Amino acid sequence: MRREPANELLLSFGCESQSGAQRFKERNCENIMAANHSFTGSDDTADEAVRSTCDDATVCKRFAVSMNYWKDPYIQYFIKQPNERKAPEINRGYYARVKAVNILMDAFIKKTSCNCQVINLGAGLDTTFWRLKDQNLLPKKYFEIDFPMIVLRKIHLIKTKPPLSKPIIETHSSSSLLIDGCSMDSDRYTIIGQDLRDLPVLMERLKKFGLNTKLPTLLLAECVLVYITPEKSAELIKWASSTFNTTMFINYEQVNMTDRFGQVMIENLQRRQCNLAGVDICQTLETQKDRFLLNGWDHANTMDMMTVYNSLPQADIQRIEHLEFLDEKELLQQLLQHYCICWATKDSGDFGIRDIMFGNI
Ligand SMILES: C[S@@+](CC[C@H](N)C(=O)[O-])C[C@H]1O[C@@H](n2cnc3c(N)ncnc32)[C@H](O)[C@@H]1O
C-alpha cells in the first residue's frame, strides 16, 4: 500500500523549511543580509527560502555524522549539533546521497590523476574540499558557488576556525588569501558568491579566479538545479558541455514527482514559500537524462536512489543498517525512489570517464 509522505520527513530529507531562514536570523547575521541586499538584486522571499535549504542539508548531514553513518571531521565547524534527532530514514537517505556523490567524484578525480578542476554549484556549507585534501585527492582547483549571503557566512567560518583555514593556507603559495567582496580565492580553493542564474557574470568571475577551460572539469549540483527554472539550468548545462572537452556533471535531486507522493512533497514546500522552479525536469529518470543529452553531453546515466542504495558497497550498508532500528522500511523505499543521481559525460580527451558506474568502481 502506498503511503502519504510524512511532512516532517519530507522536509528534512531533501531540503527545506523556513526554520532554516529563522535560524540564520537568530545567529545575528542581519548585517550580512543588509550588506548583501544590493549585491544579489534578487533578495526576495523565494530566494530566502531557497537559501534556507543550505542549513537544512547541513543540519541533517551533521546529525548523520554524529550517528556515525560516515566520517566528516569538518562539518562540526559549520553547524552546531542539531537539537532534534533525525529519523533513521533521513539518516540513511543522506548516507546514500553523500556516498553516491563521493564515489562518482572520486572516480573522476582518479581517472584524471587529480589533474582536473571541480566546480561545486550551490555548494552551501559542503565540506568536500577538506575531505579531498585529507585523502590526497585534491584537484588542481576546487571552486564553490552559492548565493553571496551563504558565501559570506562560509568565508567568516573558514577565517575564524583554524581547522578549516589551515588546509587552504597549506595549499596556497602566499601568506594571505584574496578576499574580495563576496569571494575568497586561493591557489587550490575558491569560493564565489554569485547567483547561478546569471551565467554571463558567473563565467566572468570563474575566469577572473583562474578557471582553466583546458582542464578536465567535474561539475556537481547536489539538490540545487530543482530551485532553478529548466531554461536557466539548461543554459548552465549547455555552457559546461560547450566549454570543457573532458567533463562530467553530477546532478542529485528529486525524481518521480508527478505521483501522489511527489505532489505532497511539492505542496509541503510551496506552503513554506519554497518553490521548486525546476520540478518539471524531475518527472522521470528519462527527463533528467534528456536534459543533458539535449544540451551537448555525449552520454548520461541516471539511477533512482533506491537502486543506488542497493549498488553501494554492501559491507558498509550492513554496518549502517545496524546503527539504528528502522521501523518504516516502506517509507525509506518511497523516499529513495523520489530522488535520483544523474551523471553525464563528454570525454574528448579519452580519460575513460564514460565507464564510471556504481558497482565497477
Ligand atoms: C539544498 S541546499 C544544498 C547545499 C549543498 N549542495 C549540499 O548538498 O549540502 C541548496 C543550495 O543551493 C543554493 N542555490 C540555490 N539556488 C541558487 C542560485 N540561483 N544561485 C546560487 N546558489 C543557489 C542554495 O543557496 C543552497 O545553498
Side-chain angles (χ1 to χ4, degrees):
M1 192 184 71
R2 303 292 279 182
R3 290 194 36 192
E4 294 270 312
N7 283 5
E8 197 221 330
L9 285 179
L10 287 185
L11 291 169
S12 306
F13 189 63
C15 348
E16 35 276 343
S17 69
Q18 277 194 317
S19 61
Q22 195 55 40
R23 283 195 296 276
F24 188 52
K25 289 195 177 98
E26 280 165 8
R27 285 188 203 116
N28 293 323
C29 285
E30 283 92 345
N31 50 346
I32 293 180
M33 292 163 82
N36 230 10
H37 192 272
S38 56
F39 189 93
T40 64
S42 61
D43 199 5
D44 55 24
T45 313
D47 282 354
E48 183 51 33
V50 169
R51 277 189 289 272
S52 75
T53 65
C54 164
D55 275 344
D56 296 327
T58 317
V59 164
C60 291
K61 288 181 179 178
R62 172 83 170 92
F63 184 77
V65 166
S66 77
M67 294 295 290
N68 208 22
Y69 277 84
W70 69 94
K71 290 196 186 344
D72 183 344
Y74 299 101
I75 200 160
Q76 59 180 311
Y77 302 114
F78 287 109
I79 211 117
K80 286 198 211 104
Q81 176 69 13
N83 294 332
E84 338 116 44
R85 292 182 68 82
K86 300 289 168 192
E89 295 85 355
I90 305 296
N91 300 329
R92 287 193 194 182
Y94 270 91
Y95 167 85
R97 163 175 168 173
V98 168
K99 282 283 161 185
V101 169
N102 288 354
I103 285 175
L104 296 179
M105 177 183 282
D106 294 1
F108 180 91
I109 294 175
K110 285 175 188 165
K111 292 256 186 207
T112 59
S113 309
C114 298
N115 198 23
C116 63
Q117 302 168 126
V118 173
I119 307 176
N120 190 338
L121 304 162
L125 301 175
D126 185 271
T127 56
T128 302
F129 168 80
W130 291 269
R131 177 183 73 79
L132 294 176
K133 161 92 170 55
D134 284 351
Q135 296 182 351
N136 284 325
L137 282 177
L138 211 53
K140 288 263 177 229
K141 193 137 182 178
Y142 188 93
F143 293 90
E144 291 186 346
I145 325 282
D146 209 297
F147 282 116
M149 213 181 286
I150 302 284
V151 164
L152 277 174
R153 194 169 137 209
K154 193 162 184 177
I155 294 175
H156 173 75
L157 291 166
I158 292 172
K159 281 200 307 189
T160 52
K161 314 268 179 195
L164 297 179
S165 54
K166 211 167 142 253
I168 297 177
I169 292 164
E170 272 171 16
T171 51
H172 187 56
S173 48
S174 118
S175 56
S176 60
L177 300 173
L178 176 65
I179 298 180
D180 147 29
C182 291
S183 308
M184 185 176 84
D185 185 40
S186 74
D187 290 356
R188 307 293 284 277
Y189 174 78
T190 293
I191 177 165
I192 304 174
Q194 173 61 45
D195 190 327
L196 294 167
R197 295 166 296 189
D198 192 348
L199 187 57
V201 178
L202 175 62
M203 283 159 52
E204 192 189 301
R205 301 194 77 205
L206 281 166
K207 220 164 107 193
K208 176 181 161 196
F209 290 119
L211 182 79
N212 180 351
T213 53
K214 304 250 170 346
L215 271 185
T217 299
L218 172 70
L219 296 106
L220 166 66
E222 190 183 325
C223 248
V224 176
L225 297 185
V226 70
Y227 301 112
I228 296 174
T229 62
E231 294 73 30
K232 288 288 171 193
S233 68
E235 261 180 32
L236 203 56
I237 285 168
K238 201 172 197 159
W239 164 77
S241 68
S242 60
T243 301
F244 306 107
N245 287 330
T246 294
T247 181
M248 179 157 100
F249 198 121
I250 304 173
N251 182 43
Y252 171 92
E253 67 182 2
Q254 288 88 339
V255 74
N256 296 324
M257 293 298 274
T258 50
D259 67 12
R260 179 72 196 130
F261 194 90
Q263 288 305 304
V264 175
M265 280 169 97
I266 296 171
E267 283 159 23
N268 285 341
L269 295 172
Q270 276 170 346
R271 234 176 286 131
R272 285 154 183 83
Q273 288 167 324
C274 194
N275 181 28
L276 299 184
V279 79
D280 281 355
I281 306 289
C282 303
Q283 288 175 28
T284 62
L285 292 175
E286 286 310 304
T287 54
Q288 285 283 3
K289 198 165 147 174
D290 285 349
R291 163 160 62 183
F292 288 93
L293 297 178
L294 296 172
N295 286 295
W297 294 77
D298 292 340
H299 298 279
N301 308 279
T302 46
M303 279 164 105
D304 71 51
M305 291 307 291
M306 190 65 237
T307 312
V308 171
Y309 188 85
N310 290 329
S311 312
L312 291 173
Q314 288 304 298
D316 206 42
I317 291 283
Q318 278 173 21
R319 178 188 67 81
I320 65 125
E321 288 186 347
H322 281 101
L323 292 175
E324 291 178 279
F325 175 68
L326 175 69
D327 195 18
E328 299 269 12
K329 286 210 172 58
E330 194 198 338
L331 184 53
L332 173 70
Q333 192 174 2
Q334 283 187 328
L335 282 170
L336 292 180
Q337 282 166 346
H338 286 81
Y339 282 85
C340 72
I341 195 154
C342 181
W343 65 109
T345 57
K346 194 188 131 191
D347 190 6
S348 310
D350 238 352
F351 284 83
I353 57 170
R354 188 190 152 180
D355 305 332
I356 293 174
M357 187 69 72
F358 293 102
N360 72 359
I361 300 167

